[in-house]
Amino acid sequence: MNTTETELPVPAWAHRVAHAIPLVALPVCLWRLPVISHGMGGEPLSPTVGHIAYVVALSVLSEIAALLSFGLVRGWGERVPAWVPRLRGNLIPPAAALIPATAGGLALTAILGVWLYNALTFGPEAWPYAPGWNVLAMTVSGLMNLWGPLVLILAYAYYRRRVTAVRNGR
């Protein structure tokens, strides 16, 4: 089995959800980058190396975390890839993928849900950004609120496919 093949077929909608997850995270990752030099208020900043590293690392790590969702629809989320010494080809227990995916999906839903509540309660006028940035911030951050529920939907599809396979002796 190569890294894209799975034991049982993955529904087409699950593939689409897996592709959507990095796309809903990407706008926020890109939106953060102007913070490095302009602080989103238009005033030039003098960022420290630590500030630059933090913003870039947060964006890169966010995208990596989003890309890990592909493990729920690809073979490398079911069997250890061939390049891993000693473990190559071993079946991955469903719980090894389901527990982090469910925990991450619930955490993202809770954290981003709090953001959404605050954004709707206080509105963009309470945001510290320049007026144009407020609209952009609300849009990209609002889109990112889909990340947690999408991971939970994908984890459920993985559960249905993998646990059914394990119960049926595959």
Side-chain angles (χ1 to χ4, degrees):
M1 178 168 79
N2 70 32
T3 58
T4 58
E5 294 174 358
T6 57
E7 298 283 327
L8 292 174
V10 176
W13 65 264
H15 280 286
R16 287 191 293 274
V17 169
H19 283 84
I21 291 171
L23 295 177
V24 299
L26 184 61
V28 169
C29 294
L30 296 175
W31 171 77
R32 284 186 198 116
L33 297 179
V35 170
I36 295 171
S37 61
H38 285 54
M40 298 196 212
E43 309 112 26
L45 299 175
S46 299
T48 65
V49 173
H51 185 240
I52 294 168
Y54 169 75
V55 172
V56 171
L58 183 60
S59 292
V60 170
L61 291 174
S62 295
E63 249 335 276
I64 289 171
L67 289 168
L68 285 174
S69 300
F70 282 111
L72 298 171
V73 296
R74 300 279 168 86
W76 55 270
E78 296 179 7
R79 290 201 177 273
V80 178
W83 55 267
V84 178
R86 295 190 189 155
L87 298 176
R88 68 180 57 131
N90 287 348
L91 194 61
I92 297 171
L98 286 170
I99 291 171
T102 303
L106 289 172
L108 284 167
T109 301
I111 291 166
L112 296 173
V114 168
W115 174 90
L116 184 60
Y117 172 79
N118 287 334
L120 295 174
T121 302
F122 301 111
E125 59 278 350
W127 288 39
Y129 312 124
W133 283 106
N134 284 342
V135 173
L136 183 60
M138 292 286 285
T139 304
V140 298
S141 299
L143 182 62
M144 193 169 183
N145 276 286
L146 298 173
W147 187 359
L150 288 174
V151 169
L152 292 172
I153 290 167
L154 205 55
Y156 180 69
Y158 181 89
Y159 167 81
R160 290 210 41 197
R161 193 177 77 252
R162 289 294 314 280
V163 171
T164 300
V166 169
R167 286 184 183 153
N168 292 336
R170 291 186 186 169

